[in-house]
Amino acid sequence: MRPSVYITRRIPDSTLEKISEVCQVEMWEEEDIPVPRAVLEEKIENIDGLFCLLTETIDEALLQKAKQLKVISNMAVGYNNIDVTAATEKGIFVTNTPGVLTETTADLTFALLMATARRIVEASDFLREGSWKTWSPMLLTGQDIYGATLGIIGMGRIGESLAKRAKGFDMRILYHNRSRKEEAEKTWGIEYADLDSLLRESDFVCVMTPYTEETRNLIGERELSLMKNSAILINTARGGIVNEAALYEALKQNKIWAAGIDVFEQEPVSPDHPLLTLPNVVTLPHIGSASIQTRTRMAELAAANLIQGVMGEPPRNRVNQDVVQARKIDV
């Protein structure tokens, strides 16, 4: 009997075919609506593998309903939507998709930085609304990027790729990380700084750190008050790292110049969220890895993790290394 799996969102046909070759598959067919909790509670009871997204909360209560689940394959790098501790206690592999979205997310981060600095969205709206009457010396003036100081909080793969792009703009690059990255310092000419110094000195601050209990509200009222009033904050990491209420007040009171946000604490964000009312904020719907090629590669990697897990093999990209044994399945 083939292992059974449940997929929580429509994935590329080529990826679905690969999974279907070895597994009995059920899939939530709605493109833009997350699978309802009640459906997930029903399906998880008798499946061997779960292919999910950040939109699904896989908590202890849900995992208690799983009778034979062996692997949770998250189609994302982050996995704060999953109670990894509870999964580990039940001997369930948790996997993610690292590496494949590094360059695409770095592209989007720098694009968001540029769009915010040069007021691209605001300028486009200005033109489309018929407000452009004449050329004016200070009309829609923004901030220079070339030669500016970039502060990167979290020097992982994406942080390094962002630094590589910034070097092409001759930027001075500061970074803050849990540990020094001496090889990256040599390669990219970047400088380590404590968090407060980075915030004080940077013209652009990019949040690239993972979401953890330690990084929740890492950037709040105090941290924003350290930044230059001409500085720009970019967050393409995870919602909840930047305190949104504090950011709103800092932007509204012109304590910082602008912000570019791809992630929110609650997603999808409400259309009446205060940050969406400000002209000096560029907001995006969590599209950091949204290129056709990258999303396809993410799905393929998540599928490979899923198949390894349901077949009783420790998946290559497991995040809970303590789970090293899985029950073999008769196939």
Side-chain angles (χ1 to χ4, degrees), residues 266-274 276:
Q266 296 294 326
E267 296 182 354
V269 67
S270 171
D272 61 1
H273 191 292
L276 274 59

Side-chain angles (χ1 to χ4, degrees), residues 27-213:
M27 182 170 64
W28 179 250
E29 294 284 352
E30 296 289 343
E31 285 283 354
D32 299 317
I33 302 174
V35 58
R37 175 77 175 195
V39 173
L40 198 52
E41 288 177 348
E42 174 192 345
K43 298 300 182 182
I44 204 167
E45 286 192 15
N46 298 303
I47 57 173
D48 300 293
L50 178 67
F51 184 118
C52 63
L53 311 181
L54 289 170
T55 47
E56 283 74 64
T57 299
I58 315 299
D59 54 22
E60 184 177 10
L62 184 65
L63 291 172
Q64 289 301 323
K65 297 180 180 294
K67 298 175 182 178
Q68 61 192 52
L69 188 64
K70 297 169 179 62
V71 58
I72 302 165
S73 180
N74 211 37
M75 187 179 147
V77 173
Y79 44 88
N80 54 293
N81 58 312
I82 302 170
D83 188 331
V84 178
T85 300
T88 301
E89 289 174 354
K90 288 180 67 70
I92 300 168
F93 292 121
V94 177
T95 70
N96 66 342
T97 58
V100 295
L101 50 69
T102 297
E103 301 299 338
T104 303
T105 305
D107 282 348
L108 188 280
T109 303
F110 209 82
L112 186 54
L113 182 155
M114 295 181 72
T116 307
R118 295 301 305 273
R119 302 170 67 178
I120 299 297
V121 176
E122 188 181 354
S124 177
D125 290 344
F126 182 84
L127 185 153
R128 290 169 182 265
E129 291 165 359
S131 300
W132 187 26
K133 305 302 182 184
T134 183
W135 188 91
S136 179
M138 300 304 289
L139 176 66
L140 291 165
T141 49
Q143 300 288 348
D144 279 332
I145 301 164
Y146 184 84
T149 297
L150 169 65
I152 302 175
I153 302 174
M155 188 52 68
R157 292 187 184 97
I158 302 172
E160 285 199 41
S161 290
L162 181 63
K164 178 170 60 176
R165 286 155 176 76
K167 292 303 290 185
F169 284 74
D170 203 22
M171 301 181 85
R172 178 194 178 203
I173 303 168
L174 306 177
Y175 80 97
H176 180 73
N177 199 57
R178 285 182 300 177
S179 57
R180 292 279 296 268
K181 295 293 188 75
E182 294 183 1
E183 191 62 35
E185 291 176 19
K186 295 175 184 176
T187 301
W188 306 115
I190 61 179
E191 308 168 40
Y192 179 82
D194 62 76
L195 182 58
D196 286 3
S197 296
L198 181 149
L199 293 169
R200 289 191 184 99
E201 297 180 36
S202 297
D203 300 301
F204 299 90
V205 174
C206 287
V207 178
M208 312 297 292
T209 187
Y211 178 91
T212 66
E213 282 304 312

